[in-house]
Amino acid sequence: MSTPIVSVEQITKSYNGTSPVLSNITFDIQPGEVIALLGKSGCGKSTLLNCIGGFEETDSGRVRLDGQQVITPSKRCVMLMQNYGLLPWRSVQKNVELGIEGSGLTKQAITERAQHYLQMVGLHDRASSLPSELSGGMQQRVAIARALAIQPEVILMDEPFGALDTFTRYYLQNELLQIQQREKMTIILVTHDIDEAIYLADRIFIMKPNPGEIHKEISLKMSKPRDRSDSDFQHYRELIFNEFHFTNMKSPIEFNI
Ligand SMILES: Nc1ncnc2c1ncn2[C@@H]1O[C@H](COP(=O)(O)OP(=O)(O)OP(=O)(O)O)[C@@H](O)[C@H]1O
Ligand SMILES: [Mg+2]
């Protein structure tokens, strides 16, 4: 195994000295892995993502990015917001350039890099549009292009497709998978959608609340791209579904199919 790109070491987090939201969370993520965090509302998924990104301080424990302790946010690990976070007065092109302005690249290099990633998400012909002229799915693709243009090692995604209809979500899940396999970046994805987690992730961490803990880890031993109607897919779907309703196992498990 190579050096983990992300190491979460026994982190505990509370807000304003109240009871802990996260308790003793520990895991490693290898470069190029896709991790999905699944759990009921309020179990601490966004808080965990914010701690990993350096947007929130932990009470104890630490997060390391490629061996270095995370103190503040950095461009090596970027967050993709659920509401896309696009600036409405800037064109699509200028929104994608946002994260790389001031990076020391020449103006031409910035333009070219933005164009490259817009091409990758299939929106190069909409570069001069304003965000309000695009559909929700297109706006999310601009946000993905903007995150990719920074060329981070890790992308944190908090319910990135939650606001989109089923067809757009399937389309973007597929697009994200293709880009991830090409670019080999590491993704930590928060989702409420069990199918999305099974479709995209190498490992799924199931969290339980009060305080938020990693209750179970499931390794998905299926090649990608995955078929949602496949029997292995159904197996994992049932396994996770049961987890939220009936079972109370604590140990990490690994399923080899
Ligand atoms: N800034 C904050 N100040 C105080 N409490 C907070 C803050 N952010 C989150 N919390 C609390 O921490 C707990 C976990 O919240 P968090 O947003 O991490 O959950 P979540 O798993 O992402 O939920 P959801 O699925 O609804 O997005 C909740 O009880 C929430 O009220
Ligand atoms: Mg959340």
Side-chain angles (χ1 to χ4, degrees), residues 87-95 97-98 101 129-131:
L87 299 180
W89 60 89
R90 280 191 166 221
S91 68
V92 163
Q93 170 82 24
K94 290 287 174 199
N95 263 287
E97 290 179 6
L98 195 64
E101 286 169 358
S129 300
L130 290 172

Side-chain angles (χ1 to χ4, degrees), residues 3-63:
T3 311
I5 184 71
V6 175
S7 271
V8 172
E9 301 171 4
Q10 297 191 306
I11 66 172
T12 297
K13 166 79 185 167
S14 58
Y15 289 103
N16 315 319
T18 53
S19 53
V21 170
L22 299 177
S23 169
N24 200 23
I25 299 209
T26 296
F27 56 80
D28 283 345
I29 300 176
Q30 299 302 318
E33 268 196 300
V34 179
I35 302 293
L37 297 177
L38 268 181
K40 290 179 182 164
S41 182
C43 73
K45 303 180 297 295
S46 297
T47 303
L48 178 55
L49 221 54
N50 284 326
C51 291
I52 294 170
F55 302 101
E56 288 281 1
E57 268 183 48
T58 60
D59 298 352
S60 60
R62 64 184 64 77
V63 175

Side-chain angles (χ1 to χ4, degrees), residues 45-47 158-159 190 192:
K45 303 180 297 295
S46 297
T47 303
D158 199 348
E159 300 183 53
V190 167
H192 282 115

Side-chain angles (χ1 to χ4, degrees), residues 63-163:
V63 175
R64 292 183 195 278
L65 180 65
D66 199 18
Q68 284 183 319
Q69 187 169 350
V70 174
I71 311 284
T72 53
S74 83
K75 296 209 165 174
R76 298 181 68 188
C77 177
V78 305
M79 177 82 82
L80 193 71
M81 315 298 285
Q82 184 182 4
N83 58 4
Y84 321 133
L86 302 179
L87 299 180
W89 60 89
R90 280 191 166 221
S91 68
V92 163
Q93 170 82 24
K94 290 287 174 199
N95 263 287
V96 176
E97 290 179 6
L98 195 64
I100 42 178
E101 286 169 358
S103 61
L105 291 172
T106 64
K107 200 168 180 312
Q108 190 186 347
I110 289 172
T111 305
E112 285 173 3
R113 196 190 285 182
Q115 282 169 349
H116 172 76
Y117 287 101
L118 276 174
Q119 176 101 29
M120 197 177 278
V121 300
L123 283 178
H124 47 288
D125 56 344
R126 302 303 299 267
S128 57
S129 300
L130 290 172
S132 59
E133 294 166 335
L134 304 182
S135 69
M138 287 174 175
Q139 290 182 43
Q140 186 58 303
R141 281 150 72 193
V142 177
I144 292 171
R146 186 174 61 187
L148 291 170
I150 297 168
Q151 298 185 335
E153 285 137 285
V154 180
I155 302 188
L156 308 172
M157 300 187 172
D158 199 348
E159 300 183 53
F161 310 134

